[in-house]
Amino acid sequence: MLTIRYDWRNNSVLFVHNLDEKPRETSFATGLAGEAGKLLVNLLSEDHSQANERGKHTLLLEPYGYRWYRVGGLDYLLKRSDIDTDAKGNASHPA
């Protein structure tokens, strides 16, 4: 199982891939504090994920299956920043 999160301008996407020929179940937290990581909106279908009371998402992926998610609800446009920031809110500068 491969799970990768990309962050850009206060927005996040998360990709989960089953690299096995057998179905696999995985449980994970998004790594984002507060309410931000509790909702995963599937970018390819209506199969969204809501975290449990411990903040973990549980997915069952078919052999070689994958899911691509936007992290959080539709309010992401309101939170978007024109400046890249790290997890602590510090501005970063392009190289």
Side-chain angles (χ1 to χ4, degrees):
M1 197 68 67
L2 173 68
T3 305
I4 299 174
R5 189 188 84 214
Y6 289 100
D7 301 314
W8 186 66
R9 294 188 177 178
N10 295 329
N11 292 291
S12 300
V13 291
L14 189 124
F15 306 100
V16 184
H17 289 256
N18 178 7
L19 304 175
D20 197 349
E21 63 185 19
K22 298 176 186 168
R24 296 290 178 187
E25 184 174 66
T26 184
S27 182
F28 61 89
T30 62
L32 297 172
E35 297 292 313
K38 290 189 175 181
L39 175 64
L40 297 178
V41 178
N42 194 314
L43 297 173
L44 304 174
S45 73
E46 296 297 318
D47 183 27
H48 309 311
S49 177
Q50 187 71 39
N52 64 19
E53 64 280 349
R54 294 184 359 209
K56 298 233 178 193
H57 296 268
T58 301
L59 301 176
L60 176 63
L61 274 75
E62 62 277 2
Y64 303 110
Y66 58 90
R67 303 288 185 277
W68 295 355
Y69 295 102
R70 180 182 69 236
V71 180
L74 291 175
D75 61 347
Y76 71 96
L77 286 174
L78 300 173
K79 297 177 185 177
R80 184 178 156 212
S81 168
D82 288 333
I83 299 172
D84 293 333
T85 59
D86 63 18
K88 294 181 182 177
N90 299 318
S92 63
H93 302 283

